[in-house]
Amino acid sequence: MSSYTLLPYDKDNLADVLSGKFPNSSGSTFTTPEEVKDKNHFAYLAEYLSIDKGLGAKTIIAEHNYISKDYLVDYASYYASCFDDYPKKCNRIHFFSEEFSVENFEDIIIQEKEKNENFWNSYLGYVIAKPIPLKVIGKTVLKTYPRKDSDSSDSDRIYFGNRIYDVNIFGNKIALESLAFMEQDGVVSVCATAAIWMMLQKASCNSYALLKTPSEITDEADIVGTHGERLFPNKGLSIKQISKAIFHSGLVSEIRTEKKEEHLNLLSNSYLKRVVNAYAPIGIPLVLVLKVPYNNSEDNPSYGYHAITVTGYKTIKYQEEKASEIISWRSDCLTKLFVHDDGWGPFARVDFGAGEFQLINNWSKKYATPLPSKLTDIVIPVYHKIRISYDDVEIIVKAIDKILWRMYKDNTSSNISWDIKLMYSESFKSKSKSYEQNLSRNIHLKLMPKYIWVADCYIGNILIFQILFDATDVAIGMFGLSIYFHSQEIKHQINDVLEAYPNFADYFYHPSKTQFYEFLKNESKYVKLKKGKSFDL
Amino acid sequence: MSLTTNNHFVEVESFDSLFKEGYTFKVEVYDFDSPEIKNEIEVAHKEQQAILDRKVVDVDSLNRVCVL
């Protein structure tokens, strides 16, 4: 019996292979192709793989008897002890953007890979189809959307959650850049489990984080369910359980939650953009909890809480504006998020709605008039030594922005804007190679912790200075590290003002306000010489 | 000179255009007891307090269960 089945790509064949109903299949008899077609995932994958809107799949290779580690652990912990005979092996469904025959394929797989680069470049990734009822979408590794000719050169897609997967296809190792996706099985895993598992796919590239299987994640979330009920079959995880499961994988969680009082609700779209933009350079996906509409009743929709994983974003060029007293964030250029939504599929788009608290996603679009989803919680998994949060830095930046406004009012050629990011210090040093030579040398020779916060200050699109903060420090202390000025003119002006007025310390609403004032003053210090000359310290 | 930092689109050629034409910077006389500056500092504190509030986890959120 052949170890694979080759089929031309079309929707019917996609449904067949996902259900396990195809010639020589080793898979499921628990889900019909019709049931697969009713799933959100089918509609999503069919579009994602389509020629007109997606990756352009033309051929399917369904690999039989594939052993999936994640499924095998789930199988051992639950399905093996069921009376029904659930198979322990899966089908792995590969997709290619080339058309080819069985003979072509078997010729190619025995040749050196380099001889068939075009063929292997047409490889789009795989979906593991699990032999269980309805929740058939197992580990899925698919390419991201290619950049289209119609895409503006002023826009960019950043998939910060992606990593490299080595995919072995009948003895040929293919490197694929993606982030694995998985659907919850509703027994050992729910949406939050899937969201954590997808986050860990990338986080575990770091030595401090461990990749767990879905059943292990749920098992480590608690000893009982959220309301004291049994943990398995699982009915859902709370924020605290999500945080516990993340902890057991070697990370800690920064949590931001919606407030009951409407006026205290600060999880706006702008804040979400700032947070995603800030933590993206470290490369660990964020987990969001949304309140999404989920039944199809147009008149009386139900809402439920749903966890998703943020893996990337789309951004456009920052547009200069008139100088303003209101602080401006460069992260407002994020126009959409890409998320792994276990209810739909990988790299699903989330648009920012018209209101500051509205998100439009696939759940919203099931309704004739899209019903917005709402962000209720942000879970930011970080390495435990990153103790200073985005918000700790934003407080200091807001104070400095006010000082700059007091100094310049609306006399800058365009507005002052800020970009705050958590970075590896070596990445910052590496990027500084393109700076002016002396500045770059100073940066390279500066002793820095591994994790730093960098707040870039711009006038229009001109980078003026960069404030570095020690991300491992104490939040109530002065955690500033250094300031690198790209404009000596601004540096001298800031110093002149601060030297003259120590009261500027009052702009900081912080226990270490005087030290922050001193930090700003000392970092901008320069020596004035006669005849208007100066040199910088 | 390219100053492409962590923003993909920033290209800096010159610092000539930081200020409006005709503007010359000078250290102003600031009266920190004036209502204007007092108010400015008060607003700054309120904004920074709001950020601190954001860090407080709402207890009701602990009962939220992701069920979908």
Side-chain angles (χ1 to χ4, degrees):
Chain A
M1 192 169 74
S2 175
S3 56
Y4 74 95
T5 304
L6 185 149
L7 296 163
Y9 176 83
D10 62 37
K11 282 188 177 184
D12 288 333
N13 284 341
L14 178 64
D16 287 349
V17 289
L18 291 177
S19 70
K21 294 272 171 54
F22 60 94
N24 303 325
S25 163
S26 55
S28 159
T29 52
F30 298 95
T31 311
T32 66
E34 289 67 36
E35 286 168 335
V36 167
K37 283 181 180 174
D38 281 342
K39 288 170 69 71
N40 292 338
H41 306 81
F42 178 78
Y44 184 85
L45 285 173
E47 184 175 313
Y48 195 88
L49 291 164
S50 67
I51 290 174
D52 50 338
K53 290 184 177 171
L55 298 181
K58 290 184 180 160
T59 308
I60 295 171
I61 294 279
E63 183 183 352
H64 314 150
N65 292 312
Y66 181 75
I67 295 175
S68 161
K69 185 201 160 195
D70 291 286
Y71 173 65
L72 201 59
V73 175
D74 293 352
Y75 175 85
S77 69
Y78 194 93
Y79 297 100
S81 57
C82 294
F83 181 72
D84 220 338
D85 278 336
Y86 290 105
K88 70 173 185 181
K89 292 179 182 171
C90 308
N91 289 307
R92 185 162 65 152
I93 318 301
H94 302 278
F95 301 95
F96 293 82
S97 60
E98 295 262 317
E99 285 179 71
F100 53 86
S101 63
V102 167
E103 292 73 26
N104 293 148
F105 183 64
E106 293 186 1
D107 279 348
I108 286 170
I109 58 171
I110 60 169
Q111 290 174 12
E112 290 299 325
K113 212 178 82 200
E114 291 69 30
K115 283 186 181 170
N116 298 291
E117 270 193 24
N118 283 345
F119 173 81
W120 292 115
N121 284 340
S122 83
Y123 182 62
L124 303 174
Y126 66 81
V127 177
I128 292 175
K130 295 193 283 190
I132 55 174
L134 300 172
K135 308 285 190 178
V136 294
I137 310 291
K139 184 177 180 185
T140 296
V141 179
L142 290 173
K143 274 184 179 173
T144 50
Y145 278 121
R147 197 177 168 83
K148 290 178 185 159
D149 294 340
S150 57
D151 286 348
S152 159
S153 61
D154 284 347
S155 70
D156 205 354
R157 293 174 189 171
I158 313 293
Y159 295 104
F160 64 87
N162 277 6
R163 50 168 279 198
I164 301 293
Y165 289 89
D166 284 332
V167 186
N168 285 292
I169 307 168
F170 301 104
N172 294 271
K173 192 193 275 186
I174 311 298
L176 202 69
E177 190 183 321
S178 185
L179 184 74
F181 167 87
M182 183 190 280
E183 169 188 24
Q184 62 177 289
D185 71 353
V187 178
V188 300
S189 66
V190 287
C191 61
T193 321
I196 296 168
W197 180 85
M198 295 186 280
M199 176 277 291
L200 288 176
Q201 286 288 318
K202 177 65 187 295
S204 62
C205 295
N206 299 293
S207 58
Y208 52 80
L210 298 169
L211 181 57
K212 303 280 176 81
T213 63
S215 57
E216 288 168 339
I217 291 168
T218 308
D219 197 29
E220 290 177 350
D222 218 329
I223 51 171
V224 289
T226 45
H227 299 103
E229 77 281 11
R230 59 190 298 172
L231 194 61
F232 295 107
N234 195 259
K235 297 281 185 292
L237 297 182
S238 67
I239 300 295
K240 197 170 177 183
Q241 290 173 327
I242 290 172
S243 184
K244 269 190 198 174
I246 289 173
F247 176 81
H248 284 293
S249 297
L251 298 156
V252 293
S253 303
E254 289 281 350
I255 311 265
R256 298 292 176 266
T257 58
E258 179 191 47
K259 302 287 187 288
K260 194 165 53 182
E261 300 87 349
E262 198 62 32
H263 69 284
L264 283 178
N265 191 5
L266 298 161
L267 299 191
S268 63
N269 287 351
S270 174
Y271 178 66
L272 175 59
K273 290 177 187 183
R274 272 177 269 153
V275 168
V276 170
N277 176 67
Y279 285 93
I282 291 295
I284 298 181
L286 286 73
V287 175
L288 305 182
V289 177
L290 306 181
K291 202 172 173 181
V292 300
Y294 70 90
N295 67 6
N296 288 336
S297 163
E298 296 279 340
D299 302 329
N300 190 22
S302 302
Y303 284 84
Y305 295 104
H306 179 55
I308 57 171
T309 310
V310 183
T311 61
Y313 58 82
K314 186 177 182 181
T315 182
I316 55 168
K317 185 177 177 178
Y318 182 78
Q319 297 298 317
E320 297 183 20
E321 289 168 12
K322 262 173 47 185
S324 161
E325 192 173 359
I326 297 165
I327 196 162
S328 179
W329 303 109
R330 298 180 79 80
S331 54
D332 281 337
C333 291
L334 269 66
T335 54
K336 53 176 100 233
L337 300 180
F338 300 113
V339 303
H340 276 25
D341 183 334
D342 100 289
W344 291 86
F347 306 111
R349 300 179 184 98
V350 176
D351 292 301
F352 298 99
E356 254 303 284
F357 299 94
Q358 295 182 345
L359 296 170
I360 306 297
N361 53 11
N362 291 81
W363 299 90
S364 314
K365 290 173 191 165
K366 279 196 97 171
Y367 298 85
T369 306
L371 289 175
S373 296
K374 191 180 180 201
L375 176 66
T376 61
D377 307 85
I378 306 176
V379 181
I380 308 159
V382 288
Y383 180 48
H384 70 93
K385 284 184 186 164
I386 300 171
R387 293 129 178 170
I388 301 294
S389 69
Y390 167 79
D391 303 270
D392 297 324
V393 178
E394 194 184 284
I395 288 173
I396 305 305
V397 165
K398 278 228 171 177
I400 296 172
D401 188 72
K402 290 281 183 204
I403 294 172
L404 294 176
W405 175 254
R406 171 50 51 192
M407 284 173 60
Y408 298 118
K409 292 289 180 183
D410 60 354
N411 290 305
T412 51
S413 52
S414 48
N415 64 328
I416 291 174
S417 60
W418 295 89
D419 189 17
I420 303 175
K421 287 179 188 267
L422 177 64
M423 298 181 80
Y424 290 107
S425 53
E426 65 261 40
S427 306
F428 178 72
K429 286 184 176 182
S430 174
K431 280 172 187 285
S432 77
K433 287 185 194 297
S434 58
Y435 297 173
E436 185 271 325
Q437 218 176 16
N438 282 333
L439 183 61
S440 181
R441 189 181 298 117
N442 287 344
I443 291 171
H444 276 81
L445 295 177
K446 171 84 179 174
L447 187 63
M448 295 184 192
K450 185 173 180 179
Y451 299 99
I452 55 171
W453 282 99
V454 182
D456 290 347
C457 179
Y458 294 82
I459 293 180
N461 272 319
I462 302 173
L463 181 60
I464 301 304
F465 59 86
Q466 298 176 286
I467 311 174
L468 271 57
F469 300 93
D470 177 359
T472 67
D473 211 333
V474 178
I476 56 167
M478 204 297 288
F479 50 89
L481 199 61
S482 49
I483 304 179
Y484 296 106
F485 286 89
H486 295 265
S487 160
Q488 297 310 307
E489 186 185 6
I490 299 276
K491 176 181 180 177
H492 299 173
Q493 291 166 357
I494 289 175
N495 189 259
D496 291 348
V497 167
L498 295 182
E499 290 279 3
Y501 294 101
N503 303 52
F504 272 111
D506 291 338
Y507 278 71
F508 294 94
Y509 188 65
H510 193 279
S512 301
K513 64 177 189 175
T514 311
Q515 287 96 315
F516 271 109
Y517 159 80
E518 291 291 336
F519 166 66
L520 199 54
K521 189 179 76 176
N522 292 337
E523 289 293 314
S524 58
K525 197 160 258 176
Y526 69 103
V527 175
K528 291 169 203 165
L529 300 174
K530 286 179 183 172
K531 296 179 184 173
K533 290 187 176 174
S534 64
F535 73 86
D536 296 292
L537 296 174
Chain B
M1 175 178 60
S2 166
L3 283 187
T4 307
T5 57
N6 40 10
N7 185 312
H8 311 279
F9 306 109
V10 178
E11 289 289 328
V12 175
E13 296 302 330
S14 118
F15 291 103
D16 295 343
S17 55
L18 291 181
F19 299 104
K20 285 179 178 166
E21 219 173 303
Y23 170 75
T24 310
F25 175 81
K26 64 174 191 295
V27 179
E28 307 267 346
V29 177
Y30 298 127
D31 177 4
F32 280 81
D33 290 325
S34 69
E36 188 195 355
I37 292 188
K38 274 186 168 173
N39 180 56
E40 195 170 81
I41 291 173
E42 196 182 316
V43 170
H45 287 187
K46 271 187 186 163
E47 288 180 6
Q48 291 170 66
Q49 177 63 53
I51 300 169
L52 287 172
D53 291 342
R54 211 160 49 199
K55 289 177 70 179
V56 179
V57 174
D58 187 71
V59 286
D60 283 358
S61 72
L62 299 176
N63 296 322
R64 273 200 278 277
V65 183
C66 302
V67 290
L68 291 182

